[in-house]
């Protein structure tokens, strides 16, 4: 049977991909500087930048059945199920030649975290946490000139409430595992990136193993 002809090879290949894939979660409140620092990480360290929000929007724009379902969730103000988001991330990772990823703004909550570990079966090397007080985050969001309709005091307050209630427990979970690299995000872009570079410098080099060696 075609589906089970090479089970050992398939399992070995999946194990190989899990072993050689490097994942770093990038977390922090809205306005903490993730969007500024991620392109610098890509340029300096050669990681592939994945953003769950961008992948969801791309799926909507594709006009697929999945995209329509995602759009309906958003229209109704509902959170897209973790399984859908995780599978889009997994697909992007599988299709990439680069096996070093920074995943921006994910996991947003404990359900996201559990779904990623259960489906993708890869644990992050570490979590890059841009730590910034609520007052500073509010000030930054109000000052940025992006013209976003949700950049007003009321909606900013709601977004920050969701972040502190849902995402901080994820950060605390990984901190209990010794996997959080905490960055003081109140400083200048250059000062923050110096600390980011120190965090990434601790990563072990990726082993380059030929696919034939795992069969």
């Amino acid at each position: 049977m075609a589906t089970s002809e090479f089970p050992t090879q398939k399992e070995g290949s999946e194990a190989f991909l899990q072993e050689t894939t490097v994942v770093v979660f990038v977390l922090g409140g809205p306005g903490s500087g993730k969007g500024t620092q991620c392109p610098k990480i890509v340029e300096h360290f050669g990681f592939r930048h994945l953003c769950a929000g961008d992948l969801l929007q791309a799926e909507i724009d594709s006009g697929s059945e999945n995209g329509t379902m995602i759009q309906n969730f958003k229209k109704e103000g509902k959170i897209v199920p973790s399984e859908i988001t995780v599978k889009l991330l997994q697909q992007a990772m599988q299709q990439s030649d680069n096996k070093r990823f920074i995943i921006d703004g994910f996991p947003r909550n404990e359900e996201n975290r559990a779904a990623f570990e259960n489906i993708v079966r890869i644990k992050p090397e570490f979590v890059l946490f841009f730590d910034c007080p609520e007052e500073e985050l509010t000030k930054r969001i109000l000052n940025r000139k992006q013209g976003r309709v949700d950049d007003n005091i009321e909606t900013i307050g709601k977004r920050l409430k969701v972040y502190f209630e849902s995402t901080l427990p994820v950060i605390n979970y990984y901190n209990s595992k010794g996997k959080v690299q905490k960055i003081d995000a109140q400083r200048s872009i250059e000062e923050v990136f110096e600390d980011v570079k120190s965090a990434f410098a601790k990563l072990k080099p990726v082993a380059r193993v030929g696919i034939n060696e795992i069969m």
Side-chain angles (χ1 to χ4, degrees):
M1 291 174 64
T3 54
S4 59
E5 191 174 353
F6 301 110
T8 306
Q9 179 176 323
K10 183 177 184 290
E11 288 167 12
S13 298
E14 287 178 352
F16 168 73
L17 290 174
Q18 289 162 3
E19 275 185 28
T20 59
T21 298
V22 174
V23 170
V24 173
F25 291 144
V26 182
L27 295 175
S32 61
K34 299 190 307 296
T36 300
Q37 296 294 331
C38 281
K40 295 171 80 67
I41 295 168
V42 169
E43 182 182 359
H44 200 86
F45 293 100
F47 274 63
R48 168 87 190 277
H49 178 202
L50 296 179
C51 176
D54 290 349
L55 291 173
L56 289 167
Q57 188 58 50
E59 193 66 21
I60 291 171
D61 294 343
S62 75
S64 70
E65 187 177 337
N66 214 24
T68 302
M69 182 171 60
I70 293 166
Q71 189 171 34
N72 289 337
F73 275 113
K74 289 195 167 189
K75 279 181 181 177
E76 293 168 14
K78 296 178 181 177
I79 296 172
V80 177
S82 294
E83 184 178 352
I84 292 174
T85 306
V86 168
K87 285 188 173 177
L88 286 174
L89 285 166
Q90 184 183 39
Q91 184 180 52
M93 292 166 71
Q94 288 172 340
Q95 292 174 349
S96 175
D97 291 334
N98 191 339
K99 295 304 173 190
R100 291 159 66 88
F101 302 95
I102 48 171
I103 302 182
D104 176 6
F106 182 93
R108 290 180 180 272
N109 52 45
E110 277 291 307
E111 186 189 2
N112 280 175
R113 179 194 65 75
F116 187 88
E117 291 190 3
N118 289 334
I119 295 170
V120 183
R121 298 189 179 280
I122 294 173
K123 294 183 180 180
E125 293 294 314
F126 63 86
V127 175
L128 193 65
F129 169 39
F130 291 99
D131 186 31
C132 201
E134 187 171 356
E135 285 183 14
E136 178 65 18
L137 293 173
T138 303
K139 185 172 75 173
R140 287 184 181 185
I141 298 170
L142 286 172
N143 288 342
R144 66 186 181 186
K145 298 178 181 179
Q146 293 184 354
R148 284 177 56 155
V149 293
D150 57 350
D151 283 355
N152 59 66
I153 285 289
E154 185 180 350
T155 53
I156 289 169
K158 287 179 181 176
R159 289 169 65 201
L160 288 173
K161 185 172 184 287
V162 169
Y163 163 69
F164 284 110
E165 289 181 356
S166 299
T167 308
L168 272 186
V170 175
I171 295 166
N172 290 335
Y173 169 83
Y174 282 118
N175 192 45
S176 72
K177 305 289 184 184
K179 283 183 172 282
V180 171
Q181 296 285 339
K182 185 176 176 181
I183 306 290
D184 179 0
Q186 295 185 78
R187 299 162 302 156
S188 70
I189 292 170
E190 292 74 20
E191 287 174 316
V192 169
F193 190 56
E194 284 304 311
D195 278 2
V196 170
K197 284 195 290 187
S198 296
F200 276 85
K202 298 171 186 174
L203 278 178
K204 295 176 183 176
V206 176
R208 301 297 180 189
V209 182
I211 193 73
N212 291 330
E213 294 179 41
I214 59 158
M215 294 182 180

